Amino acid sequence: MRALLMGCLAALLLGCAGPQVSDYAREQPSLELSDYFNGELQAWGMFQNRSGAVVKRFHVAMTGTWQGDVGVLDERFTYSDGSTERRVWTLKKQADGSWRGTADDVVGEAIGHVAGNALNWRYQLRLKVDDSIYVVDFDDWMYLKDGQVMLNRARMSKWGIDLGQVTLSFYKPAVVEGAQ
C-alpha cells in the first residue's frame, strides 16, 4: 500500500512539473530581447479568472529603448472599462545570460531565462484590486512567433492557488530599410 501511495504522489508531482525554458532551445526564430523589445510595439490582451471567464480586456502601447545590455520598456495600458495604467520595466542582462527586471509594482526582481524562441519570467506583482493591494505570483511565458508577433501567457497565483491567466499578443511593426 505504501508503495502505491508513493507512486501516486510521485505521478502527481511529476504531472505538476511544467515545461522548462530549455525545452525550447532549438525553436526558431531565436529571441533576443534587445531586438524584439526595441522601438514601438503594441499588445492586446485579456485576463481570465480561474473559471475561465474573461474579466478584463486591454491594449498596451509600448516603447523599448536600450543601452547595451540594459533596456527600458515603457508600457501604457488602456483597459476595456476606460481605466489606464503605466508600468516601466528596467531589464538587465546578467553575465550568465539570464535577465533581471524591475518595475515600481514588482516586488524585488523578476527573474527571466531565454532559450530558443521562449522567455520565462517569474516575479511577484503588487496588484491593485478596488481599494486593496495584493501581492501575486506570476509565471510568465513569451514565445516569439516571427519578427513581428510574440504570444504571451502568464499564470497568476497566490499561495500556490491559481487565480487566473493573462493572455497577450504582441505586435512589432516591420522596420523598412531606408525609411526615414
Side-chain angles (χ1 to χ4, degrees):
M1 182 66 166
R2 183 177 176 155
L4 178 60
L5 286 174
M6 294 303 286
C8 289
L9 180 59
L12 179 63
L13 291 174
L14 289 174
C16 292
Q20 302 297 311
V21 74
S22 59
D23 296 344
Y24 302 95
R26 295 177 194 251
E27 295 296 324
Q28 294 295 317
S30 183
L31 174 59
E32 294 293 333
L33 294 187
S34 60
D35 289 340
Y36 189 78
F37 288 115
N38 190 35
E40 301 296 320
L41 296 99
Q42 304 284 319
W44 295 265
M46 64 182 175
F47 172 74
Q48 293 171 271
N49 66 20
R50 65 177 163 233
S51 68
V54 175
V55 295
K56 215 165 211 184
R57 293 173 293 116
F58 56 92
H59 171 259
V60 189
M62 293 173 277
T63 304
T65 57
W66 292 84
Q67 290 187 348
D69 286 339
V70 178
V72 174
L73 185 59
D74 185 352
E75 301 176 320
R76 297 161 313 276
F77 294 80
T78 303
Y79 294 94
S80 54
D81 65 4
S83 64
T84 61
E85 182 179 22
R86 184 175 181 203
R87 178 174 300 117
V88 179
W89 286 95
T90 299
L91 309 176
K92 296 178 183 176
K93 189 170 189 178
Q94 306 298 298
D96 67 358
S98 68
W99 288 85
R100 299 293 184 263
T102 57
D104 286 343
D105 54 354
V106 171
V107 177
E109 290 183 316
I111 299 172
H113 298 277
V114 176
N117 72 333
L119 166 65
N120 178 224
W121 281 114
R122 292 178 188 260
Y123 56 95
Q124 290 187 313
L125 184 74
R126 289 180 199 93
L127 183 66
K128 185 174 193 250
V129 178
D130 298 323
D131 293 329
S132 299
I133 302 286
Y134 299 94
V135 175
V136 296
D137 298 314
F138 268 82
D139 184 10
D140 199 344
W141 286 86
M142 298 180 182
Y143 305 93
L144 186 62
K145 172 72 175 136
D146 57 35
Q148 293 181 279
V149 176
M150 182 183 299
L151 303 176
N152 183 194
R153 184 173 179 188
R155 292 207 174 275
M156 189 171 58
S157 63
K158 176 91 175 154
W159 301 308
I161 299 170
D162 185 35
L163 300 176
Q165 66 183 15
V166 177
T167 305
L168 286 115
S169 177
F170 292 92
Y171 178 74
K172 180 178 180 172
V175 176
V176 178
E177 294 297 321
Q180 299 288 334

